Amino acid sequence: MPTFTKHFVDVEKWLVNYLGDIAPVYVVTPSQINSTIIQVTRVGGSSDRFTDRPRVEIAVYVPEGDPAGARMRAWELTEQIRNKIDGAAGVAVDGLVCDSGRIDNPPQMIPDPNSSIRRVVTTVQLSFRRQ
């Protein structure tokens, strides 16, 4: 069995940096959400010896009181994320290159237990070779 000296990309860390120009990005949400944030969570995927294809849930949280209107702002940011995922192929973040990106489950508004927060969730799939 071969020993690999290269490793798969930590997709959550990659996305924290890649999406960080849209809004602050977290892997674990803060206990209090007082401003707009994005949360990324690997929720599965597939891999073989050479390529990792992580599925990632990306959630946009916007508290009521956002000047643009929470619902509208959540959808606007989600569309920016979709565009970045669709354009992720060939993009390097911290020297780590994404091979492809696609939307698996289009955005949907999910009721948040805290009714003063609007949350839109999208599931995406990216692919990375060992690097």
Side-chain angles (χ1 to χ4, degrees):
M1 183 128 186
T3 302
F4 293 100
T5 57
K6 295 183 179 184
H7 303 281
F8 288 131
V9 172
D10 177 338
V11 69
E12 291 171 334
K13 183 177 178 182
W14 193 89
L15 284 167
V16 165
N17 292 319
Y18 184 55
L19 299 176
D21 63 333
I22 296 173
V25 183
Y26 295 85
V27 175
V28 177
T29 56
S31 58
Q32 292 290 323
I33 299 174
N34 300 316
S35 61
T36 299
I37 66 165
I38 299 167
Q39 180 186 24
V40 295
T41 307
R42 183 172 180 155
V43 293
S46 65
S47 64
D48 55 34
R49 291 175 38 185
F50 306 105
T51 303
D52 189 32
R53 297 170 197 86
R55 290 189 78 208
V56 181
E57 181 180 277
I58 301 175
V60 173
Y61 293 82
V62 180
E64 285 294 344
D66 185 287
R71 185 179 186 284
M72 184 194 272
R73 183 77 175 138
W75 283 106
E76 175 187 294
L77 295 175
T78 298
E79 191 60 27
Q80 290 178 37
I81 291 167
R82 288 178 79 172
N83 289 336
K84 286 196 83 161
I85 296 300
D86 287 339
V91 172
V93 174
D94 295 332
L96 302 170
V97 179
C98 179
D99 292 320
S100 68
R102 72 171 199 223
I103 307 300
D104 269 1
N105 292 339
Q108 54 186 322
M109 181 78 68
I110 304 289
D112 194 82
N114 179 346
S115 62
S116 68
I117 295 177
R118 300 296 163 247
R119 178 172 58 141
V120 177
V121 177
T122 307
T123 305
V124 305
Q125 184 173 48
L126 300 167
S127 67
F128 298 89
R129 284 173 278 176
R130 290 181 185 271
Q131 299 181 45

